[in-house]
């Protein structure tokens, strides 16, 4: 089989669709040889490389708004409203200690140098630090400091890093764009009926133990923050004022910008296969709607499996 690279795009909570894409590929027996990720794409990609996608999915499927507020820490707004380190603290001890170069799947995290406005590719060093840099949405999360660099969201400069995936030497690149702006297609909508339509591999006893440890770490680290943070942040996220809150303003503005940048980048660096789940009805902070978003990603990838099989059987020319 030809080597395959994934370019996982940015898009906030819409990034849970990446899990559905990975599930569909796993089900079809498609092996991934390299992953490039920007923002939420970097987060999901890193967790997949660490072999902990099951644990992440089990955790996010039952998240509520109140749960989400627990994982944000308000800071004095000098360069960001929230401390992104708290989000990365959720990651397991295994990922906390993992180096990018230790991953069996080649991995590259895309971030933005906020002082120079340049694209930065993180191919070595701490996996969790690279993710922390790439998810730092401007104005919301404080930037990540790496030496003399101040790094932010990779989606600013390269929302769907096809060229980065291609640079890993793979033969076929699948790109996942979370920010498609177009009419809804038949089958895009799927009401949540409480069932899961993508299969899951049976978990071994070791996997069950890892999952329990993952959840216990989260509980231990954040149980004392819940009441304090609900009071601080709750009125921002959950308010009945018709005026958009600050997160919605920043998120929508970033989404509009990323749509323009994505269009330009995909014209310059086209993937062999483009996956575009219809996610317009999800805001980038709808992290509590994981079930529906994962399902959209799964359905979009399943629809494109015949095209992928054709690609894998054909000669691919990128000249």
């Amino acid at each position: 089989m030809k080597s395959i690279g994934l370019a996982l795009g940015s898009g906030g909570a819409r990034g849970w669709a990446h899990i559905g894409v990975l599930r569909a590929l796993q089900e079809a027996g498609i092996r991934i040889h390299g992953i490039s990720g920007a923002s939420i794409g970097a987060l999901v990609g890193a967790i997949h490389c660490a072999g902990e996608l099951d644990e992440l999915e089990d955790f996010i499927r039952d998240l509520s708004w109140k749960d989400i507020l627990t994982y944000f820490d308000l800071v004095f707004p000098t360069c960001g409203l929230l401390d992104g380190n708290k989000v990365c603290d959720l990651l397991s001890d295994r990922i906390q200690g993992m180096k990018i170069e230790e991953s069996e799947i080649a991995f590259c995290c895309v971030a933005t140098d906020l002082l120079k406005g340049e694209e930065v590719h993180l191919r070595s060093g701490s996996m969790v630090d690279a993710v922390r840099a790439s998810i730092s949405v401007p104005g919301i999360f404080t930037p990540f400091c790496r030496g003399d660099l101040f790094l932010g969201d990779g989606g600013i400069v390269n929302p769907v890093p096809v060229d980065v995936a291609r640079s890993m030497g793979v033969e076929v690149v699948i790109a996942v764009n979370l920010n498609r702006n177009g009419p809804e297609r038949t089958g895009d909508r799927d009401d949540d009926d409480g069932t899961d339509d993508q299969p899951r591999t049976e978990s071994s006893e070791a996997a069950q133990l890892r999952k329990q440890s993952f959840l216990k770490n989260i509980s231990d680290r954040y149980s004392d923050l819940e009441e304090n943070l609900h009071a601080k942040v709750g009125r921002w996220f959950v308010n009945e004022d018709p005026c958009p809150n600050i997160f919605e303003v920043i998120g929508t503005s970033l989404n509009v910008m990323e749509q323009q940048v994505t269009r330009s980048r995909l014209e310059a660096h086209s993937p062999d296969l483009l996956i575009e789940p219809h996610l317009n009805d999800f805001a980038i902070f709808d992290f509590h709607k994981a079930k529906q978003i994962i399902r959209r990603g799964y359905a979009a990838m399943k629809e494109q499996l015949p095209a992928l099989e054709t690609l894998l059987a054909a000669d691919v020319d990128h000249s």
Side-chain angles (χ1 to χ4, degrees):
M1 182 180 291
K2 293 183 176 70
S3 58
I4 298 175
L6 277 181
L8 302 181
S10 59
R14 296 172 178 177
W16 296 149
H18 292 317
I19 297 174
V21 169
L22 287 164
R23 292 294 181 210
L25 291 170
Q26 288 175 333
E27 177 191 345
I30 305 296
R31 180 186 172 196
I32 303 303
H33 300 81
I35 296 177
S36 64
S39 198
I40 189 70
L43 175 65
V44 175
I47 290 175
H48 179 63
C49 286
E52 297 194 344
L53 198 66
D54 285 356
E55 289 84 346
L56 173 66
E57 184 174 352
D58 288 338
F59 170 59
I60 66 171
R61 278 181 171 271
D62 295 318
L63 276 181
S64 67
W65 258 120
K66 289 185 178 180
D67 295 326
I68 292 167
L69 298 185
T70 307
Y71 310 133
F72 294 115
D73 194 15
L74 184 66
V75 294
F76 189 77
T78 53
C79 53
L81 295 170
L82 303 172
D83 181 3
N85 293 330
K86 298 299 182 182
V87 176
C88 282
D89 282 348
L90 294 174
L91 303 179
S92 70
D93 291 337
R94 179 181 179 185
I95 300 178
Q96 295 283 353
M98 187 176 182
K99 301 292 185 184
I100 294 175
E101 54 269 32
E102 295 172 351
S103 171
E104 292 183 6
I105 301 173
F107 181 70
C108 180
C109 216
V110 178
T112 301
D113 183 331
L114 295 176
L115 297 182
K116 297 181 179 180
E118 297 176 350
E119 187 172 340
V120 177
H121 297 165
L122 303 173
R123 300 178 183 269
S124 62
S126 168
M127 179 75 85
V128 73
D129 284 354
V131 170
R132 166 65 177 89
S134 190
I135 67 170
S136 299
V137 180
I140 294 180
F141 290 121
T142 54
F144 179 76
C145 181
R146 189 190 198 201
D148 59 351
L149 297 177
F150 288 90
L151 301 177
D153 195 317
I156 300 172
V157 289
N158 199 348
V160 188
V162 173
D163 55 327
V164 181
R166 189 84 69 194
S167 71
M168 295 176 174
V170 297
E171 296 169 279
V172 174
V173 173
I174 304 170
V176 185
N177 175 25
L178 305 175
N179 299 311
R180 176 172 70 91
N181 186 18
E184 194 170 311
R185 299 172 301 188
T186 302
D188 276 336
R189 281 200 176 276
D190 46 6
D191 295 331
D192 183 11
D193 58 3
T195 62
D196 297 331
D197 39 21
Q198 61 266 32
R200 295 282 301 279
T201 55
E202 289 296 321
S203 298
S204 64
E205 183 177 349
Q208 289 288 353
L209 290 174
R210 285 201 309 272
K211 183 185 354 177
Q212 292 170 9
S213 175
F214 181 84
L215 296 175
K216 183 178 185 301
N217 285 342
I218 293 171
S219 176
D220 290 348
R221 289 168 180 170
Y222 290 99
S223 59
D224 60 327
L225 292 176
E226 184 171 1
E227 182 177 351
N228 185 31
L229 291 181
H230 284 180
K232 286 182 178 179
V233 189
R235 62 180 178 271
W236 281 343
F237 279 103
V238 185
N239 83 76
E240 298 178 356
D241 193 321
C243 178
N245 64 45
I246 188 170
F247 293 96
E248 292 169 336
V249 170
I250 295 175
T252 301
S253 301
L254 185 63
N255 181 240
V256 170
M257 178 203 73
E258 287 188 357
Q259 287 178 6
Q260 301 298 321
V261 176
T262 297
R263 188 177 301 116
S264 174
R265 294 296 298 237
L266 287 178
E267 288 176 356
H269 305 282
S270 59
D272 300 294
L273 187 65
L274 181 61
I275 311 299
E276 295 186 299
H278 183 85
L279 301 167
N280 287 355
D281 46 337
F282 297 103
I284 70 169
F285 286 99
D286 281 347
F287 291 102
H288 59 300
K289 297 181 180 179
K291 290 180 182 179
Q292 301 98 309
I293 295 172
I294 291 172
R295 188 177 291 115
R296 297 282 180 93
Y298 177 79
M301 186 66 246
K302 284 280 287 185
E303 183 181 356
Q304 293 293 333
L305 281 176
L308 176 58
E309 291 171 0
T310 300
L311 271 173
L312 295 179
D315 292 330
V316 180
D317 183 8
H318 298 296
S319 59

